[in-house]
Amino acid sequence: MQFDTLKTEPSVLYKLLTGTIIPRPIGWISTIGENGINNLAPFSYFNMVSHDPPCVMFSTARDNNKNKDTLNNVLSNGEFVVNLATLDTVEAMNATSAAVPANVDEFELTNLTPMDSVFIKPKRVKESPIHLECEMIHHYFIDNNDGGGACMVIGKIKTIHIDDAVLMENNRINLEVYKPIARLAGSNYSTLGELFSIKRA
């Protein structure tokens, strides 16, 4: 089967892409609005861009020429925290995906604990074992000519917070303690499952 993307409905493309480009890490992005209200939302269009300089990216959909609160906040002050989602936080993470008004604090909505960041204003999620404090260095709008599309944000990591329980000797990550989760298609998520090693060519 072949799908011409110019002739395929966006809903079908969504199913095909989110069902095949898997698993996807989840960037649990916390921001703060001009009104001082905390915002917290998960994004599975998220990944690392580079380690030198250390950068990550996330992308958010736009509908009817409207931005999500996360994007509005980042474009306003250029700051965000990536809190890594884990098996222990998956229920709270999922709850923060609900569409709520901009004046609703998702930390309060989900009984999560906000922690001050060191270099930026957005709060960190205490319940997450890993936080990346980021400053936006670039953003790029991708239009679909129908009042929608997406915006990709690239952030430079200013500091990395890792719970001591997750770190092992030589700065390796203890995956059994970390317990990261990843996004699949529909309402499905995955844990790491079986691991295997292969030497790089």
Side-chain angles (χ1 to χ4, degrees):
M1 181 68 73
Q2 179 176 319
F3 297 87
D4 184 334
T5 59
L6 294 178
K7 299 177 181 178
T8 306
E9 288 292 325
S11 60
V12 175
L13 292 174
Y14 175 80
K15 288 181 181 179
L16 294 174
L17 292 173
T18 59
T20 55
I21 302 175
I22 55 173
R24 299 186 307 278
I26 301 167
W28 202 8
I29 310 294
S30 52
T31 59
I32 191 166
E34 292 180 340
N35 54 4
I37 301 294
N38 295 316
N39 179 267
L40 181 62
F43 294 86
S44 67
Y45 293 4
F46 160 78
N47 219 312
M48 182 173 71
V49 175
S50 62
H51 72 277
D52 185 15
C55 295
V56 292
M57 64 75 60
F58 75 93
S59 179
T60 174
R62 300 179 69 247
D63 297 314
N64 299 317
N65 288 313
K66 292 184 178 179
N67 298 338
K68 292 184 181 295
D69 296 334
T70 298
L71 181 57
N72 281 332
N73 293 344
V74 173
L75 293 179
S76 174
N77 56 46
E79 298 179 337
F80 63 95
V81 177
V82 177
N83 307 274
L84 277 298
T86 67
L87 190 60
D88 294 332
T89 62
V90 65
E91 293 294 339
M93 180 276 298
N94 184 56
T96 62
S97 67
V100 297
N103 63 352
V104 173
D105 184 327
E106 281 87 355
F107 282 90
E108 295 179 359
L109 186 67
T110 54
N111 293 315
L112 289 164
T113 311
M115 295 176 64
D116 286 339
S117 294
V118 175
F119 294 107
I120 61 177
K121 290 183 179 179
K123 303 292 185 180
R124 297 179 284 145
V125 177
K126 183 178 181 179
E127 288 77 6
S128 170
I130 300 173
H131 318 119
L132 313 175
E133 294 187 26
C134 302
E135 62 176 357
M136 181 180 69
I137 59 172
H138 186 68
H139 72 280
Y140 182 77
F141 284 97
I142 305 169
D143 298 323
N144 67 358
N145 300 318
D146 192 30
C151 183
M152 181 181 71
V153 174
I154 296 178
K156 184 176 181 180
I157 303 171
K158 302 190 70 159
T159 191
I160 304 170
H161 304 267
I162 301 180
D163 191 306
D164 289 344
V166 175
L167 279 175
M168 298 191 300
E169 184 180 355
N170 199 28
N171 293 321
R172 291 178 298 161
I173 303 298
N174 187 327
L175 297 177
E176 293 182 0
V177 177
Y178 179 17
K179 295 184 288 186
I181 57 171
R183 193 77 165 88
L184 302 177
S187 59
N188 296 317
Y189 293 81
S190 72
T191 54
L192 290 179
E194 183 180 355
L195 304 180
F196 67 91
S197 298
I198 183 170
K199 289 186 178 180
R200 185 171 178 173

